[in-house]
Amino acid sequence: MDLIFATNNINKINEIRQIIPAGFNLITLHEAGIKIDIPEPHDTFQENASEKSQTIYKLTGKSCFSEDTGLEVDALDGAPGVISARFAKEDEGYSGNNDKLLKLLGHNPNRHARFRTVISLILEGEEYFFEGKCEGTILMRPKGSNGFGYDPVFVPDGSEKSFGEMSMEEKKTFSHRRKAMDLLIAFLQKRS
Ligand code: ITT
């Protein structure tokens, strides 16, 4: 089964390629010849995910999915949330986002946070949503250089290591993205 994955984030593509079973042919935007930066203007992960998949469905007419992910920090009232990608200034990248987060949290003892992923799947014109989350805590300073985004500052519950210290295989056992993908895959397998 061919499925276009509507993302420009290479790290997401790499993780999802490790998760998706044989029998699904994942097609990236690059492979589909689509060069587009899809805006994420909404207040919810669901609406932003939908914006991305609907945009690609309108362009191609083919089955596709997208996902919107963010880090929700309790002591920051759920920030950075839907603006996780652009929390600091755009040119400051992932480390700028992490620096801003750690600065805002300071020595606050409440470091509880979660990653949340919402997938929007468009199959034969119908849209379906799948959600996965991973609870954990924010470190005082970054640890490890694996993964991407907020991985070096996030330790999932049940682990001593940050996502930044884990291999992709290890991250998969805890991952919000893997949990949302499991639901998507089970849904597709049930239909086939
Ligand atoms: P697309 O919209 O093209 O899919 P994006 O990078 O803009 O790519 P999101 O808006 O979903 O994707 O992601 C928001 C940010 O959240 C992302 O740039 C990372 O900083 C962070 N993020 C997402 N998933 C993450 C993960 O598994 N681990 C660490 N940080 C993550």
Side-chain angles (χ1 to χ4, degrees), residues 47-73:
E47 288 169 293
N48 283 330
S50 184
E51 182 88 30
K52 295 185 243 188
S53 59
Q54 292 285 359
T55 301
I56 297 308
Y57 183 70
K58 280 179 199 141
L59 273 174
T60 63
K62 295 196 176 131
S63 293
C64 60
F65 73 100
S66 75
E67 57 104 298
D68 201 47
T69 295
L71 178 69
E72 299 172 334
V73 180

Side-chain angles (χ1 to χ4, degrees), residues 59-116:
L59 273 174
T60 63
K62 295 196 176 131
S63 293
C64 60
F65 73 100
S66 75
E67 57 104 298
D68 201 47
T69 295
L71 178 69
E72 299 172 334
V73 180
D74 288 356
L76 303 178
D77 295 325
V82 288
I83 61 154
S84 289
R86 49 187 194 284
F87 193 39
K89 287 190 198 117
E90 215 161 284
D91 57 354
E92 289 177 355
Y94 291 148
S95 66
N97 287 338
N98 284 328
D99 289 348
K100 178 169 179 183
L101 177 68
L102 294 180
K103 210 167 171 185
L104 282 175
L105 264 182
H107 291 278
N108 193 324
N110 177 9
R111 309 194 75 84
H112 191 243
R114 76 201 52 77
F115 277 114
R116 193 186 296 279

Side-chain angles (χ1 to χ4, degrees), residues 7-9 12 40 52 69 148 150-151 171 176-177:
T7 184
N8 286 311
N9 187 321
K12 289 185 181 180
E40 299 170 21
K52 295 185 243 188
T69 295
F148 69 104
Y150 299 91
D151 281 346
K171 178 178 173 184
H176 41 291
R177 180 164 295 106

Side-chain angles (χ1 to χ4, degrees), residues 156-172:
D157 287 354
S159 169
E160 302 276 293
K161 288 186 191 174
S162 76
F163 273 162
E165 295 174 295
M166 293 185 190
S167 65
M168 214 188 283
E169 200 59 34
E170 283 176 289
K171 178 178 173 184
K172 203 167 90 174

Side-chain angles (χ1 to χ4, degrees), residues 168-183:
M168 214 188 283
E169 200 59 34
E170 283 176 289
K171 178 178 173 184
K172 203 167 90 174
T173 62
F174 299 95
S175 163
H176 41 291
R177 180 164 295 106
R178 196 268 302 152
K179 289 173 189 163
M181 280 303 290
D182 281 354
L183 297 175

